[in-house]
Amino acid sequence: MPVGIGVIAYGANEAAIVDALTSSRKHDVDIYAVDRQKNPFIYDRARDHVVIPDLSNVNAIRDFFGQHSDRLDFIVAFGNETPVIAGVRDVIEQSIGVRVICPASEYAIERSKVHQRLLLDKVSPSVNPRYMVFDPKSGGSTDTVRDKFNRYVEELNCQVAIKPDHPGYGKGVGVSGDHFSTLDEMWEHFLSLYEGGRVIVEEKIVGEEFSMQYFSDGLTLVPTPSVRDYKRAYD
């Protein structure tokens, strides 16, 4: 009997995942794909495929996989953070009983940059840059907030990164020297984010950036090779 695998697909990452899964030499694999768009590579290799443009619609995702629950061994959902943050694992495991490979919503670390900093304060404070959280729900006039902002930015010698708390999917973060250079420009960027929720202003750190990811079954950690993203290699 083939191994039934559900895949929640956003783009090229999941095409690579499907390619790897269907290249197994040990197992026949049936792919059941929820796709943000009709990716031709995934579509051609899937036993069943549905397009759901809004991947935060976890109920629609659950309904599709529910139609195939008796043929699914597990679901891969870690290619994009949108359904993870929306609680796709919680909903599917509780309603149709199929295991989902991704964090539960409570542990979706991309959900909040503030929570990331608080977590690091708890487990490894030495790796955190200096930072301050500005929350529009805390009240205060615009002049009061600006005065607090100016004093903190100057304390950091105007070398800061200004980030929205909520997921920005690669957008919204502003960095001194790249996106602004004057205090007024920093304030304008801050204000554009502050109107939408909490903003974190943190010390700019210059260094080597890399990503290291691990596979885990809940008990064992297996590292993958570290990689770098050369965003500025070319224009």
Side-chain angles (χ1 to χ4, degrees):
M1 178 177 290
V3 178
I5 304 176
V7 176
I8 301 176
Y10 179 87
N13 287 349
E14 293 76 28
I17 290 169
V18 168
D19 187 33
L21 292 171
T22 55
S23 298
S24 172
R25 297 179 181 180
K26 296 179 62 176
H27 302 284
D28 293 326
V29 173
D30 284 344
I31 297 293
Y32 299 87
V34 168
D35 203 346
R36 185 180 67 97
Q37 53 198 344
K38 191 175 179 179
N39 184 302
F41 185 92
I42 297 173
Y43 179 80
D44 288 344
R45 286 156 181 77
R47 177 165 289 275
D48 197 6
H49 179 284
V50 66
V51 173
I52 299 178
D54 180 7
L55 293 181
S56 67
N57 188 348
V58 295
N59 291 328
I61 295 172
R62 174 206 58 202
D63 291 346
F64 172 77
F65 288 133
Q67 299 169 22
H68 305 289
S69 59
D70 59 337
R71 296 182 289 277
L72 283 170
D73 292 279
F74 60 90
I75 296 167
V76 175
F78 54 74
N80 179 260
E81 60 264 32
T82 298
V84 178
I85 293 169
V88 70
R89 174 177 171 181
D90 313 68
V91 169
I92 289 177
E93 291 189 349
Q94 291 169 14
S95 58
I96 65 176
V98 179
R99 296 299 299 273
V100 182
I101 302 177
C102 75
S105 177
E106 180 182 358
Y107 301 104
I109 198 165
E110 293 295 333
R111 180 177 57 187
S112 167
K113 296 181 184 67
V114 172
H115 288 168
Q116 292 173 26
R117 290 289 171 231
L118 294 175
L119 176 62
L120 287 172
D121 278 342
K122 182 177 180 181
V123 301
S124 187
S126 64
V127 306
N128 254 344
R130 289 182 288 172
Y131 70 91
M132 181 177 288
V133 178
F134 293 79
D135 190 345
K137 293 182 180 179
S138 63
S141 67
T142 301
D143 288 341
T144 300
V145 174
R146 180 159 193 178
D147 181 62
K148 180 181 177 182
F149 172 86
N150 286 350
R151 283 188 282 108
Y152 188 65
V153 168
E154 289 171 345
E155 182 181 322
L156 297 179
N157 297 315
C158 294
Q159 296 301 303
V160 296
I162 302 173
K163 307 176 179 181
D165 177 42
H166 60 78
Y169 306 102
K171 298 179 176 62
V173 175
V175 181
S176 295
D178 295 319
H179 304 102
F180 37 68
S181 55
T182 69
L183 199 55
D184 285 342
E185 290 171 346
M186 294 175 195
W187 170 250
E188 288 300 318
H189 182 82
F190 170 88
L191 201 58
S192 70
L193 303 176
Y194 190 66
E195 294 169 349
R198 290 192 300 187
V199 177
I200 183 167
V201 178
E202 61 186 40
E203 178 185 13
K204 175 184 175 181
I205 295 178
V206 178
E208 297 290 322
E209 179 186 18
F210 68 93
S211 296
M212 176 177 283
Q213 300 181 355
Y214 290 76
F215 292 108
S216 176
D217 59 2
L219 299 174
T220 306
L221 288 173
V222 179
T224 63
S226 59
V227 296
R228 290 196 61 187
D229 182 5
Y230 292 89
K231 293 187 176 78
R232 298 172 188 165
Y234 304 103
D235 184 357

